Amino acid sequence: MDAFKGCFCSTKTSKLPRDEDPIILASETPFTVNEIEALHDLFKKLSSTIVDDDLIHKEEFQLALFSNSSKQNIFSDRVFDLFDAKHNGVIKFGEFVRSLSVFHPNASEEDKITFAFRLYDLRQTGYIERVELKEMVLAILSELDSTLTDDAVDSIVDKTMIEADLNGDGRIDPEEWKDFVTKNPSLLKNMTLPYLKELTLAFPSFVLNTEVPDYK
């Protein structure tokens, strides 16, 4: 997610649809109006990487994550699917802000746990199956350019299933996942991006130039 740090400039947010209005988005997320306007500059940069159409396509999303638009990875595909709330193959600004908000330091732990569960629930069945867990472990290792033997990966997956699958039905339900994450808080470490709380501190010229008052 570090790729989302991007670069920001002091241009003002252009006219946006009502559901993407900074004031409305600020009322629905932990972001302030100024932070959302700063995010709009980042969104404009990401959405024009390949096609300048104010939409983030999967190839642009992968380029932001991996610096390679052709690299296939279950992890990036699943994150893209969760950001693409309307399931139309592209990410609009409102979807970008609402989805990214779960990584804000002020977002609730419950929201972070839910997002992480949905990330691992690859087939969207409402459960995390062993095969899904293994696929995600392999995908994350690939993203980190790390490799483990099949036995080591199976050991990680088996240990997780033993600890998390409390009722022994061979899958992890949302309550079991919540209990497991509560006992292993390090699992949510990557669910918080501290710099999201410092957007306007890092770019004071942007704050000085904005015409929108900060409502939070």
Side-chain angles (χ1 to χ4, degrees), residues 105-176:
N106 292 344
S108 71
E109 182 177 277
E110 183 174 352
D111 286 345
K112 295 178 186 294
I113 291 174
T114 299
F115 187 95
F117 180 87
R118 294 176 63 203
L119 186 64
Y120 280 82
D121 179 16
L122 298 175
R123 293 160 182 77
Q124 303 174 54
T125 61
Y127 298 93
I128 300 174
E129 309 278 353
R130 186 188 186 283
V131 64
E132 293 173 317
L133 184 59
K134 183 173 182 177
E135 286 179 27
M136 281 298 293
V137 169
L138 290 172
I140 292 171
L141 287 173
S142 174
E143 183 203 354
L144 298 174
D145 291 324
S146 299
T147 57
L148 291 176
T149 64
D150 286 342
D151 286 345
V153 172
D154 282 334
S155 178
I156 292 171
V157 174
D158 289 340
K159 184 175 185 296
T160 300
M161 291 300 297
I162 290 172
E163 292 182 13
D165 179 21
L166 299 179
N167 63 14
D169 65 353
R171 57 189 184 179
I172 304 170
D173 64 37
E175 286 304 313
E176 290 174 328

Side-chain angles (χ1 to χ4, degrees), residues 36-198:
I36 289 169
E37 292 197 336
L39 283 175
H40 188 256
D41 286 330
L42 173 58
F43 179 84
K44 291 286 289 184
K45 179 183 179 183
L46 295 179
S47 65
S48 62
T49 305
I50 298 176
V51 181
D52 190 2
D53 57 0
D54 285 329
L55 299 168
I56 297 179
H57 296 257
K58 181 172 287 190
E59 294 80 8
E60 292 170 323
F61 194 78
Q62 291 175 331
L63 190 61
L65 286 178
F66 301 115
S67 298
N68 184 343
S69 63
S70 63
K71 182 175 181 178
Q72 297 298 310
N73 184 288
I74 293 173
F75 176 77
S76 67
D77 286 347
R78 188 67 188 124
V79 174
F80 180 87
D81 290 342
L82 293 179
F83 272 61
D84 177 19
K86 295 182 179 178
H87 308 296
N88 57 359
V90 293
I91 301 171
K92 297 181 67 175
F93 179 58
E95 294 173 311
F96 179 73
V97 173
R98 291 182 178 90
S99 297
L100 196 59
S101 70
V102 76
F103 295 93
H104 194 285
N106 292 344
S108 71
E109 182 177 277
E110 183 174 352
D111 286 345
K112 295 178 186 294
I113 291 174
T114 299
F115 187 95
F117 180 87
R118 294 176 63 203
L119 186 64
Y120 280 82
D121 179 16
L122 298 175
R123 293 160 182 77
Q124 303 174 54
T125 61
Y127 298 93
I128 300 174
E129 309 278 353
R130 186 188 186 283
V131 64
E132 293 173 317
L133 184 59
K134 183 173 182 177
E135 286 179 27
M136 281 298 293
V137 169
L138 290 172
I140 292 171
L141 287 173
S142 174
E143 183 203 354
L144 298 174
D145 291 324
S146 299
T147 57
L148 291 176
T149 64
D150 286 342
D151 286 345
V153 172
D154 282 334
S155 178
I156 292 171
V157 174
D158 289 340
K159 184 175 185 296
T160 300
M161 291 300 297
I162 290 172
E163 292 182 13
D165 179 21
L166 299 179
N167 63 14
D169 65 353
R171 57 189 184 179
I172 304 170
D173 64 37
E175 286 304 313
E176 290 174 328
W177 176 256
K178 182 177 180 180
D179 184 70
F180 178 66
V181 171
T182 300
K183 294 176 181 176
N184 300 273
S186 62
L187 290 171
L188 294 183
K189 181 179 179 181
N190 291 332
M191 290 299 299
T192 297
L193 303 177
Y195 72 86
L196 290 178
K197 196 174 181 180
E198 303 167 357

